[in-house]
Structure formats: structure tokens, C-alpha cells
Amino acid sequence: MFAKTFSAGLLGIDAFLVEVEIDLVRSGLPALKLVGLAEGAVKESKERVLSALKNCGYKIPPSRITINLAPANQRKEGSLFDLPLAVGLLASSGLISPTNLSMYLLAGELSLTGELRPIAGALSLALLAREKNFKGIILPKKNSLEAAVVKDIQVLGANNLIDVIQFFNQEQIIEPTKLNIEQIFQAQQQFLIDFAEVKGQEHAKRAIEIAAAGGHNLLFIGPPGSGKTMLAQRIPTVLPPLTFEEALEVTKIYSVSGHLKPDMALIVQRPFRSPHHTISDAGLIGGGHQPKPGEVSLAHRGVLFLDELPEFKKHVLEVLRQPLEDGDVTISRASISLRYPANFMLVAAMNPCPCGYLGDAHHECSCTPNQIQRYRARLSGPLLDRIDLQVEVAGVDYSDLKQKQSKISSEKMRARILQARKIQQKRYQKHNLPFLTNSELSGKWLAEFCPLGEKEHAFLEQAVNKLGLSARAYTRILRISRTIADLKHQENIDISILAEAITYRFLDREKTLTN
């Protein structure tokens, strides 16, 4: 007998339809052959499936069985094909009614006792099921909340194989999983940290406000203990909340990479990723034998924080240049090329010198000029040019430390940032442009939205020549100026705004002073 069930495979963060075709012939020597470009975990599934069927009380008669996973030219990976294989074998043996098999997409890993274990990529599978007009998707109970984010399809969460068998034989009803998305957004928009806890550092907070308002990258430079990490950790508290579409993007990435918590249906807070400086380039960008998203993709729509920036391997940092420009990363292998989204805000921190106390008023620097130069040389000019704001974070005075709480809170900062974002959104939507923040301005749009008068041009020309700024740094100054003007609700960019923007190019100014 012949039977067919439907499942899906994962390609990057998206899913593709897989037809599981099973042909069972009771003549000839018993055998089970699995074809269709199946990887290791898929090939092993036949052992799990046969043991699960036996332990659930179902026996497949001795037969010659051929299983095809179509399309045959697309590589299949993972353990999610266990459930559709088991259901298909039972249907081809006459133990399951085939009437409704074509209406549901099936996915799930089976234990040897028939229990359904959670899988990766449930959200992507549910989106595919809706796109292909399936009535619903049947998957492990622990994945049902995640899949229920997708509306207009039934999401049926099953505990074990017997539940699924009885459902298709109309002996049991599996209630569809329901989810209140608005309630999830409200419940998870609360933060346990706040900028009011950061005492002093008003200059750094102002830089964070500008960076968050315009989507700019940010580098903190200061001695140990000045609060660089504390400042960076609080940046997500002032960023605009994720839209539903952005939350779907982020959740898909975490789902396929296996980072989504079992009890979490949707990620509604902007991610904050802080990898250690010993990370490899594959860990940062993504890749591996079976390519997975890296830290730049896990930070999509959020913050990627690189503490002790010069301690990262230089070749690891250099791979950041392409995603910082394009907002995505492409991983190419001999047989496949995958694209992962990587539109993140880069925040980095470093000491001014190897000992950390160059320029500190309370500690003497023990580094030689050559040591400082070698330390700074670990960061290439092209990478630093892609970081819009370079901000000095000095040590905190005791007068600031004795204060109970800072006057600048996350709530006040976020309110100003949201207003600036609305101004940008209105401006760029009016011209039907494919971006919404000032950090993405370039080419003719930079000239159109950042016009300067003669006095402003003269001032900026003098600054560029004196500081020896590159063309990319000049572009960064204009973008920062546009954001400062938006925070001030000011249409024109004047000299005071340009002067403030230039103060956020700390390394350029310091290089000029030391020369």
C-alpha cells in the first residue's frame, strides 16, 4: 500500500515543504530503505520510529518498505521527520485512516516509548503550513505555544504518538492551542534594570540617546570600573519596542538555532548578546558543518555588545564589516548558501591602553607609547569608521557616587528616542525609502536630508582637515548630526550640532592631539 504525509525541512531560518512518501510491499524480503538526500539524524529516525511503534502496541507486518523524502535534491536534516514517518507507516499498513492526512503538516521527534520531544524551528514550520494552505500543524506539545503565534491555522500539540494516531482515527480530539499575543507583549515589556541606576556619566548617556535614536553603532573608551558594561546592558531599555513582524523575525532565528526557551512563545524584547572575546569567526557570524546563526544574527533587531574589543582576534572582528554595512550575512558552503538577517546595533567597549589607565586622573598609566600603539592597532581603520560614535567614559567622581539615583532614567530617555524615531519614520516613508533610521542614510539621500549652509560647510571642512577624517567618518558625522537635530526637533543642522557630533569621534580627536 502507498501513503503520503507532509512535513517540512529547515533552510536557514525558513522552512520548505517535504512530502513523505511511503510504499509498503508485503512480497519479497523484509527491508526498510530511506531515500531523498537524508542526513545522519534522519537516517537514524527509522530505528526510533520502529521502536516507538512497537512500544506503543503497533506492529508493522514484515514488508519491503521504501520511504522517499521529496524533493529528493534538497538535503534534509534533524529529527523532526520521526512523527510523519511513523504516521505514514501506520497509514500504509492500514492502521490509520488516510482521510485527513493531507490536511495537516506533521513534525516531531519520537522517543523509543513514543513520547514526542520538542524540535527546532516550530515557528518557521507553522508559517509554512499557513502559506501552503494546510488546515493545521501537529507537533510536540512543548512547541505548540511557539507555533500558535501564527494565526489562521490550527496548532495541535500532542504529548505522544498515540494521541496523534487516535486523532486521525477520530477516537480523540486534540484541542487547538490558543495564544493572546497582546498579553505576551504587555507581560514581557518590563525591565529589571534602568539608567537611573547609573550614577554620573551624563555624556555617555547622551551618546547612548543619540545612538538609540538614530540606530548608530557605539564605542565606549574608558578605564576599568567606569561603568562601560553597565551602560551597555541598559541600552535595550531605551530602544523602541519590537513590532510584531520584528518579533517574528527574532523568534524564528532563536527557534531554528535552538535558543528559544520551551515556555516562551514569542520574543518581544530586543535581544542583547554579549559573546566572550575568545569566540571564533563561525561563532560570531554563523556557520559550522550544519550552518547555524551566529551571534550577529542572534542580536538581530537588538544589541551586539563586544566588551574588551581589542582582545577579540583581529580576523574575527574583520568579518563584522559586511553585516554592519548590509544588515545580513551570507554563509556559503560547497553545496549550499544561506542568508541570515543581522541588522543589529553594535556597542563595544575598550580600555584606552593595555593597563587601562591612560588619561585617568586617579591612576598613573604604566604603558609605553609603543604598547599603546600596538594595542590600538588591533582595531582596523575600516572597522572603526563603521562605528559612528566613539565616546570617552571617564571614571565616576565620588560626588556622583553618593547620589541615591540619577535624574536621567530609561523612561525619560525612551520618550525622547521614540519622538526622534517618529520624525525619521515620517520623513523617510514620505519618500517611500526602504529604511527608517538615520544610520542608513547614504548617497544622494545623505545630501538631501543633511543639507548644510556655507558657515556649516566651512566649519566641517576645517574639522575634517584638522582631524584627518576619512570620507566614511565624514558621512558618520552628518548622520549623527541629523539625529541630534531630530532629538532637538530641529530641521536644519547648525554649527552647534556639528560640533557636538564631532565630539563623539574621540579616537580621531585624540590622534590629532597626540600628533
Side-chain angles (χ1 to χ4, degrees):
M1 293 179 64
F2 175 82
K4 182 165 70 172
T5 59
F6 293 90
S7 189
L10 294 172
L11 186 62
I13 63 170
D14 296 315
F16 62 93
L17 187 65
V18 175
E19 298 181 10
V20 182
E21 301 173 326
I22 300 174
D23 185 38
L24 188 148
V25 181
R26 297 190 179 180
S27 60
L29 293 174
L32 195 157
K33 189 172 184 180
L34 181 61
V35 298
L37 212 58
E39 291 295 301
V42 184
K43 290 179 180 178
E44 293 171 354
S45 64
K46 60 184 180 181
E47 308 297 336
R48 293 191 297 272
V49 168
L50 292 176
S51 295
L53 289 173
K54 180 191 70 175
N55 291 322
C56 287
Y58 295 90
K59 186 177 180 181
I60 303 297
S63 312
R64 184 174 180 83
I65 303 171
T66 302
I67 301 173
N68 179 43
L69 304 178
N73 64 341
Q74 182 69 59
R75 197 175 300 275
K76 289 83 178 181
E77 300 173 346
S79 57
L80 56 87
F81 297 103
D82 289 5
L83 181 60
L85 284 175
V87 172
L89 282 171
L90 291 171
S92 62
S93 303
L95 300 174
I96 280 184
S97 171
T99 306
N100 297 324
L101 287 183
S102 62
M103 299 170 63
Y104 293 91
L105 191 146
L106 308 175
E109 178 185 337
L110 287 172
S111 71
L112 298 185
T113 58
E115 299 297 317
L116 278 171
R117 291 174 172 163
I119 57 173
L123 177 57
S124 298
L125 302 185
L127 289 168
L128 177 71
R130 183 177 66 181
E131 177 189 338
K132 298 297 182 181
N133 297 317
F134 283 95
K135 182 178 180 180
I137 179 172
I138 301 176
L139 73 177
K141 186 76 172 179
K142 290 184 178 179
N143 291 118
S144 59
L145 281 177
E146 174 190 346
V149 171
V150 182
K151 300 301 181 183
D152 303 324
I153 62 166
Q154 290 183 2
V155 176
L156 307 180
N159 291 310
N160 50 55
L161 179 59
I162 294 177
D163 289 346
V164 180
I165 295 170
Q166 292 179 346
F167 171 77
F168 280 114
N169 287 333
Q170 298 182 354
E171 298 172 356
Q172 177 181 332
I173 296 175
I174 301 177
E175 292 294 335
T177 303
K178 302 294 184 181
L179 194 64
N180 189 331
I181 295 177
E182 291 183 2
Q183 188 175 5
I184 293 176
F185 269 88
Q186 293 174 358
Q188 296 187 29
Q189 285 297 344
Q190 299 177 357
F191 296 94
L192 300 178
I193 54 179
D194 195 285
F195 271 108
E197 301 161 351
V198 182
K199 298 174 182 178
Q201 304 298 7
E202 274 72 17
H203 179 64
K205 292 178 186 177
R206 171 64 174 171
I208 289 173
E209 188 172 314
I210 294 169
H216 304 286
N217 300 319
L218 176 64
L219 172 63
F220 292 128
I221 305 146
S226 57
K228 301 185 295 294
T229 302
M230 190 176 185
L231 287 164
Q233 290 172 339
R234 282 155 179 76
I235 291 177
T237 68
V238 300
L239 291 173
L242 287 172
T243 64
F244 178 68
E245 290 73 20
E246 290 174 334
L248 278 181
E249 288 180 359
V250 175
T251 306
K252 282 172 65 176
I253 296 170
Y254 276 70
S255 178
V256 300
S257 62
H259 287 78
L260 191 67
K261 297 178 182 178
D263 58 343
M264 182 172 288
L266 191 68
I267 296 176
V268 299
Q269 285 188 2
R270 293 191 180 270
F272 180 86
R273 303 294 298 183
S274 180
H276 193 259
H277 64 258
T278 56
I279 193 171
S280 66
D281 51 355
L284 188 63
I285 294 296
H289 175 64
Q290 296 179 354
K292 293 292 184 182
E295 290 292 333
V296 295
S297 296
L298 294 172
H300 181 60
R301 302 296 182 186
V303 175
L304 176 66
F305 178 52
L306 303 183
D307 201 3
E308 304 295 341
L309 187 64
E311 301 301 330
F312 284 79
K313 297 181 181 68
K314 191 167 184 177
H315 73 275
V316 173
L317 291 179
E318 291 306 301
V319 298
L320 281 173
R321 287 158 60 175
Q322 183 257 330
L324 283 174
E325 288 290 332
D326 300 338
D328 58 37
V329 60
T330 301
I331 300 172
S332 297
R333 297 291 181 266
S335 59
I336 194 172
S337 180
L338 299 176
R339 176 195 164 276
Y340 291 115
N343 190 350
F344 57 90
M345 177 181 173
L346 175 64
V347 179
M350 62 178 284
N351 295 329
C353 64
C355 77
Y357 294 112
L358 178 66
D360 188 74
H362 306 290
H363 300 83
E364 184 177 351
C365 175
S366 60
C367 304
T368 65
N370 285 337
Q371 288 176 326
I372 297 172
Q373 185 178 5
R374 284 197 299 270
Y375 181 74
R376 300 273 182 91
R378 297 177 187 176
L379 306 177
S380 69
L383 177 62
L384 288 175
D385 277 346
R386 286 169 169 82
I387 300 177
D388 299 356
L389 293 92
Q390 306 163 358
V391 182
E392 182 182 17
V393 182
V396 183
D397 293 332
Y398 184 78
S399 58
D400 293 321
L401 288 174
K402 68 181 183 181
Q403 294 178 4
K404 290 185 178 181
Q405 190 169 281
S406 172
K407 296 179 181 179
I408 303 176
S409 66
S410 292
E411 184 179 359
K412 293 178 180 178
M413 292 174 65
R414 185 168 56 248
R416 292 192 292 266
I417 288 166
L418 288 175
Q419 285 295 323
R421 286 280 183 120
K422 288 179 181 178
I423 292 172
Q424 296 169 65
Q425 184 177 358
K426 183 178 179 181
R427 178 193 300 131
Y428 301 134
Q429 283 184 344
K430 181 181 178 181
H431 293 80
N432 296 318
L433 296 178
F435 52 83
L436 297 175
T437 59
N438 294 330
S439 64
E440 299 173 271
L441 279 174
S442 62
K444 67 176 183 178
W445 301 115
L446 187 71
E448 179 169 344
F449 296 119
C450 303
L452 300 179
E454 291 185 6
K455 292 181 180 180
E456 287 75 21
H457 270 300
F459 175 82
L460 189 54
E461 181 181 5
Q462 183 180 5
V464 167
N465 292 334
K466 185 176 181 180
L467 298 176
L469 300 177
S470 68
R472 184 175 280 118
Y474 164 79
T475 299
R476 263 49 183 177
I477 289 174
L478 285 182
R479 291 176 179 174
I480 296 168
S481 299
R482 180 67 271 165
T483 302
I484 295 173
D486 290 339
L487 283 167
K488 292 183 174 181
H489 302 276
Q490 188 171 320
E491 185 62 31
N492 296 324
I493 298 173
D494 57 30
I495 291 178
S496 65
I497 290 175
L498 289 172
E500 182 181 359
I502 292 170
T503 64
Y504 300 119
R505 302 295 300 181
F506 172 75
L507 291 179
D508 296 320
R509 293 186 293 105
E510 189 188 46
K511 179 177 63 177
T512 304
L513 291 173
T514 55
N515 290 340

